[in-house]
Amino acid sequence: MNSENFYSQLPLLDNFLKITDVGNFFDVPDDWYIIVTDIRGSTKAIEAGKYKEVNLLGACSIVAVLNVAGKTEIPFVFGGDGASLLMGPSLLPAAQKALLATQQLAKTEFDMDLRVGLVPVKVVVAANYPVKIAKFKVSENYNQAVFIGGGLTRATELIKDPAAGNIYSIKNNGVSPTADFSGLECRWQDIPSKYGEIVTLLVMVRSDLGQQSHQFYRKIFKKINYIYGKENSLNPIDSKNLKLTLNSTKLIQETLVRASSATWLDRQLYLSKIQLETALGSLLMNLKVKTEELDWGVYKDIAIAATDYRKFDDMLRMVISGNEWRRKKLTGYLERNYREGKLVYGLHVSDRALMTCLVFERGGRQVHFVDGADGGYALAAKDMKQRMKE
């Protein structure tokens, strides 16, 4: 298998439960690199009400690299306040410049510190933290990378470590970095839960359980399905509650990213342009208009199908729609297993979800990043860390 095209050549899994079978995973090539981005002080930023900006910058680091990669398929995971991406050596120089530009954007436009680090796969593998990957077909327009082995988690620890972090941080060597954020869109209103609650969940089973850990994840998936229902019930994004916004204060975030180097007038023109596009899109969807490129009557369904409301990168990450009774049932199950030393978990509850979108083709390649409002993954991670200390 060719190293540069390694990911694109992986077979597709057609069922999420298949990620619990180790035989479906492949070793990431030794000459590849793990890139990790995250917002320093994201919890404080969220507590100050900047949870949307935190989400946006996590998505920015992904879209900047995907635009560098072009048609080369690369694996990534959105983590709420940052992202993980993997790639071969040929893409690395251009990706580093794009990430430095994203870091600069975070500082100048949002007054946030985006940490950007880079760890060779062979470094974590040599320390006995494998990086194994599979590819799950979420929809016709989105294939999702899935990771096991602990390598991604170890790379994140190295990048955040005060001593090792300086070794692995991406540094600006005097170049003027630029990035292309084409495809990034933030045009949906907050999405209220169809059942009353949005639960953002992180679950990590003890790695020293070996093969049993994967079997245990399978039990957890089935338990969640038993409590919350199958996919249509689990997915927090519902077409009835999915509405576009024309509010300029909400659309300004996309404007600050997509027109970051423009003059004030050009920014106003960009904002007016996306307001017009949003109004037109809403009208086309409501009237169920069919064009040569797209059946607008089913566009919401296309978007919902390409959401990343569940994923796995050394731990289970989910954003679930449900009610208080279901959450208490789930929490009771997780807490029992936590007390028995089998897993650690983190959870955050809101009444709505957020969706940040990468749309490269309106009727084709796209992914819609989902997080719980008011902090979602970042606050679930804070909850998990507290249990780890205990």
Side-chain angles (χ1 to χ4, degrees), residues 290-303:
K290 290 184 180 181
T291 65
E292 289 184 8
E293 296 180 348
L294 185 65
D295 180 352
W296 284 92
V298 298
Y299 181 67
K300 286 185 181 180
D301 295 328
I302 292 171

Side-chain angles (χ1 to χ4, degrees), residues 335-376:
E335 188 66 20
R336 284 194 301 275
N337 284 284
Y338 164 65
R339 294 297 173 189
E340 292 171 8
K342 295 177 182 176
L343 58 78
V344 64
Y345 72 97
L347 189 140
H348 176 259
V349 183
S350 180
D351 61 353
R352 63 204 191 284
L354 308 176
M355 199 158 78
T356 306
C357 308
L358 306 187
V359 183
F360 299 101
E361 299 172 62
R362 193 67 60 187
R365 182 179 166 226
Q366 58 191 275
V367 52
H368 303 270
F369 298 128
V370 179
D371 199 358
D374 305 319

Side-chain angles (χ1 to χ4, degrees), residues 193-258:
S193 169
K194 52 194 170 185
Y195 302 122
E197 282 190 356
I198 295 290
V199 171
T200 307
L201 176 68
L202 301 176
V203 182
M204 182 185 289
V205 173
R206 270 178 48 188
S207 59
D208 60 357
L209 294 176
Q211 180 62 35
Q212 288 183 331
S213 68
H214 302 287
Q215 295 168 359
F216 193 29
Y217 274 120
R218 190 178 185 89
K219 289 181 182 179
I220 294 168
F221 295 151
K222 289 186 174 181
K223 188 69 174 181
I224 291 171
N225 286 340
Y226 174 74
I227 294 171
Y228 280 89
K230 293 290 177 70
E231 191 162 336
N232 288 341
S233 298
L234 278 172
N235 195 326
I237 311 303
D238 180 72
S239 60
K240 292 179 182 177
N241 293 340
L242 192 57
K243 297 177 182 178
L244 291 165
T245 182
L246 295 175
N247 189 323
S248 59
T249 59
K250 294 181 179 179
L251 293 173
I252 194 64
Q253 293 174 351
E254 178 185 329
T255 303
L256 290 174
V257 173
R258 297 288 298 274

Side-chain angles (χ1 to χ4, degrees), residues 165-183:
N166 189 52
I167 299 170
Y168 297 110
S169 65
I170 296 176
K171 300 172 182 67
N172 190 333
N173 296 318
V175 299
S176 180
T178 58
D180 178 6
F181 298 107
S182 300

